[in-house]
Structures are given as structure tokens and as C-alpha cells.
Amino acid sequence: MTTASLLQHTLSGPAVCAGVGVHSGQRVRLAVRPAAANAGVVFVRTDVSDRDNRIPVSAQAVTCTQLNTKISNTSGVSVSTIEHLMAALSALDVDNVIVEVDGPEVPIMDGSALPFVQLLDRAGRRTQASPRRYIEVLGAVEVADGAKRAALLPCNRFEVAFKIAFPSAVIGRQAVDLPVTERSFRDQLAGARTFGFVNEVEALRRLGLARGASLHNAIALDGDVMLNAEPLRFRDEFARHKALDAIGDLYVMGAPVIGRFETRYGGHALNNVLVRALMADPAAWRVRTLAPELAEAV
């Protein structure tokens, strides 16, 4: 734990990018701007002017977890596919930002969190005077859905362990288990891309999903064959991307985690069920700061 990680951070200046939404297929412009200490992460739909267009991120704001994480406010305004940007914010210790987006979805970029890491790097980070607050897991919380399982366990650092299994020979059974630091995220997780199966695309598009999916923003699999010309970035890229997603999904709690996240065959839906289960059990967690001289009542 570095001295800098004891304090909150925002950006030094705005960071702007544009791209297509993987599900909506719409071209979207995104701007991440500095925010005051203790503001948290707040999404703003700049294309909405007839009602409240601000969506503060929280576990309760998550309203859909079908192939992405979507947040909404009480006025029905929403933003989808926030997980890759949220993972980058979490790993780079960025606590407080305003995220402006002029469409219904965060752009997918190349399907990983790496473009968002690069975006935040270009803007730079600014240390704020308020102490950084952490979600410390005090007791085990576990949820399950059939064979799927996810748990948060006490640990003196943030760790992620993810197991997946798919019938495709390109994936098979994969597992990743590592402590999550800024360095490990940059080197081992940020570049891992999302993936999908071509035989599911038409059904997903009828549901309003995957309309912007392409070989430029996802690993496409046709049975046991990968269709992308670019090779895998990691041998176990599929499990690493699932771990990346989980980091973003956990950050909707509004603070980084001190604890161990474990899951078998999980995804966005189970991640959010687990987050809500933890929040609902006050004996299983606490908010804390890490330096006695900076401690505040919480």
C-alpha cells in the first residue's frame, strides 16, 4: 500500500474519447472530468435534457446485468456497459470523476480496459485532501445460482480468483488468481478483451444486444475456431477478461475492496447479487481508512 493510496484521487484534467457501443451500435462520445473529493463516480447523459440526467454509481443503481452492467436513475435514464471503465478507475485509484456520455452506452473501444487506462494516463491524476475509503470484508459472503458460485472473503489485500469453462476448445477450462494492484492490472488484466460466439449473435441482436460487436472490439468464436486475425493477448485471455469485468462490477460499491473475490462460472449478474448480499449484511463489512492520522468517522 503506497502513501498515495491513502488519499482520494481525481483527474488532473478532462479525458475524451469516442467509439461505438457494443450493444447499441451507436457512435458515442465520452468525457471523463475531475470531480470534488467524496463525489464518487457519477455518469451524466449529456444527450438527455428533459429529466434528471445524472446517475451516481452504486450497487442499487445497477438495473440490468445481461452481458454488461447497466446503471439507471429514478427518472429512467441509463448508461450501459460501464464495467471496463469502472475497472480502470478502480485499478488506477481514481475515486471521484464525472463521466459524460452522449448516448446510452460507454464505447466498447477494443473490448478491453486498456484504452481507458491509456485515456486516464493522458489526463493524469490529482491527489485530493480527503482520505480514501475502502470496503473491508470482515466475514465470508457467498451466493450461488446452480453451478455458479461467487464469494467475498476476508483478506489483507484485494485478490481476484476466477474459474470459467466453455465447450469451445479455444477456451476450455481456465483460471486466474492474483492480487490486484495497479501494476498487476496494467500488466495482466487491462488488455484482456471481451468475447462471444457467432452462433449467438442473431438472437442477441433481436434482443437489442451485440449490434455494435465486431472483430475490432471482441474475440469472436465459431465453435472451436477463433475468427480474429490478431492472436490472443494472453493464453488465458478469456478468464482474465472475466476477472477484469468483476473488478469493475465490484467498484459500483463506491470504494475499492480489501478482501478476496472468488467465483466459479460467474458473470455480471452473479457479481451484482454478491455485491448486494455483502451490502445487506452489516456484520460482514465496514468502511475504513488506512492511516490513523487521516481517519474520519464513517
Side-chain angles (χ1 to χ4, degrees):
M1 191 69 65
T2 66
T3 302
S5 65
L6 302 178
L7 295 169
Q8 294 180 28
H9 294 83
T10 189
L11 299 186
S12 297
V16 180
C17 68
V20 68
V22 68
H23 294 303
S24 67
Q26 294 184 25
R27 183 78 175 173
V28 183
R29 181 180 183 275
L30 178 142
V32 188
R33 303 188 185 279
N38 301 308
V41 179
V42 179
F43 281 78
V44 178
R45 282 283 300 273
T46 58
D47 60 319
V48 175
S49 59
D50 62 339
R51 51 196 157 140
D52 182 13
N53 65 353
R54 294 171 57 85
I55 314 169
V57 173
S58 70
Q60 294 71 33
V62 176
T63 53
C64 182
T65 52
Q66 185 179 22
L67 299 183
N68 75 101
T69 295
K70 174 181 176 180
I71 56 172
S72 306
N73 65 16
T74 56
S75 297
V77 177
S78 64
V79 178
S80 300
T81 318
I82 68 168
E83 59 272 13
H84 301 166
L85 174 58
M86 291 296 292
L89 292 170
S90 175
L92 271 61
D93 291 352
V94 178
D95 303 273
N96 307 300
V97 286
I98 302 295
V99 182
E100 297 176 350
V101 58
D102 67 356
E105 187 176 14
V106 172
I108 191 62
M109 309 308 282
D110 73 346
S112 78
L114 183 58
F116 296 118
V117 169
Q118 295 168 338
L119 186 73
L120 299 175
D121 283 346
R122 288 195 295 271
R125 288 171 287 181
R126 175 166 56 85
T127 303
Q128 298 173 293
S130 296
R132 192 170 210 218
R133 293 175 291 185
Y134 290 79
I135 302 289
E136 182 181 20
V137 180
L138 302 176
V141 175
E142 182 173 347
V143 296
D145 179 11
K148 300 176 182 178
R149 169 191 171 273
L152 279 165
L153 309 169
C155 185
N156 63 0
R157 59 185 181 178
F158 183 28
E159 298 180 353
V160 169
F162 217 111
K163 294 181 180 179
I164 63 172
F166 286 86
S168 170
V170 182
I171 305 177
R173 294 183 177 273
Q174 295 186 3
V176 60
D177 189 335
L178 76 164
V180 180
T181 63
E182 180 178 340
R183 186 76 268 155
S184 69
F185 184 83
R186 287 178 181 273
D187 294 345
Q188 301 184 50
L189 297 178
R193 295 161 292 172
T194 192
F195 59 94
F197 294 87
V198 294
N199 66 314
E200 299 175 352
V201 170
E202 287 307 314
L204 290 173
R205 287 179 175 168
R206 286 194 294 271
L207 295 172
L209 300 169
R211 291 176 175 174
S214 73
L215 295 177
H216 300 293
N217 57 40
I219 302 171
L221 301 171
D222 186 1
D224 294 335
V225 178
M226 188 176 89
L227 302 181
N228 304 66
E230 180 186 351
L232 291 175
R233 296 175 178 177
F234 307 93
R235 176 188 56 80
D236 51 359
E237 186 168 356
F238 306 93
R240 290 176 188 268
H241 183 79
K242 288 285 193 176
L244 184 164
D245 279 345
I247 293 167
D249 288 344
L250 292 179
Y251 203 41
V252 302
M253 289 189 287
V257 172
I258 301 175
R260 178 175 171 84
F261 171 82
E262 295 181 349
T263 189
R264 182 182 65 224
Y265 315 147
H268 298 299
L270 202 62
N271 293 346
N272 191 248
V273 170
L274 178 63
V275 163
R276 289 173 182 261
L278 180 73
M279 296 285 95
D281 185 354
W285 63 283
R286 65 174 176 173
V287 177
R288 63 170 293 194
T289 57
L290 297 180
E293 65 274 18
L294 296 174
E296 61 180 24
V298 293

